[in-house]
Amino acid sequence: MTDFLIKIFAVAALLTLLFFGESYIEGRGYDRAKSEDGVSIERQKAQAAATLASEIQKTRTAEQALQTFKNDQETKDVQHQQTVVALTERLRGLADSAGRLRDPNAARCGSGGDKPQGDASTTSGDSSDNPAEAGGLLSAQLSGLLQRLAREADDINVAYASCRADAYTVRASP
């Protein structure tokens, strides 16, 4: 019976060694896989950080280009607005004291255009009140309408130029 007990003890010891040996081998395999996975994760993190840095740089470059375009466009818009103001002032300068425009194609009536300068017989009244000298003057309503329409057209042209430049930039960007 001792022989039988020794065999049972030997089988039990062998099974115990197999169980713990298998656990040890599995643990080593798990540790190796964990280490390899950790290295892989660190590599992916490094690649992601490099990609993120690259994309951030692209974004900053695009933002700088957009800011430069915006600043240039605002400068152009200010110049266009100044041109509109200058042309409006010029148009006002062409009007008479009552704000009425003169038709450049109308024949001058009366002696206003034929007299030499400095003629003593000129009247001292306002030319818009004197029908003989008011030839070619447009009505106050028509003058106002033309000035308003010219101002609106200039404003529309400035806005169009600004939008067109913006649209070309948007179409050119990827």
Side-chain angles (χ1 to χ4, degrees), residues 146-160:
L146 291 175
Q147 289 173 345
R148 181 179 59 82
L149 292 176
R151 185 180 60 251
E152 289 173 1
D154 288 338
D155 290 342
I156 289 170
N157 285 335
V158 167
Y160 172 75

Side-chain angles (χ1 to χ4, degrees), residues 9 15 26 43 45 55 62 85 94 117 124 130-131 151:
F9 180 69
L15 288 175
E26 282 182 20
R43 189 178 318 126
K45 283 182 181 179
E55 293 302 317
V85 168
L94 294 174
Q117 291 181 354
S124 62
N130 185 349
R151 185 180 60 251

Side-chain angles (χ1 to χ4, degrees), residues 88-159:
T88 302
E89 291 301 318
R90 185 172 158 206
L91 185 61
R92 283 189 191 132
L94 294 174
D96 70 350
S97 60
R100 291 172 56 189
L101 297 174
R102 183 171 298 280
D103 182 358
N105 298 319
R108 294 198 182 256
C109 298
S111 61
D114 297 337
K115 283 188 178 177
Q117 291 181 354
D119 191 355
S121 67
T122 59
T123 61
S124 62
D126 186 12
S127 65
S128 63
D129 294 335
N130 185 349
E133 292 184 16
L137 278 180
L138 301 177
S139 70
Q141 294 85 0
L142 182 57
S143 293
L145 174 68
L146 291 175
Q147 289 173 345
R148 181 179 59 82
L149 292 176
R151 185 180 60 251
E152 289 173 1
D154 288 338
D155 290 342
I156 289 170
N157 285 335
V158 167

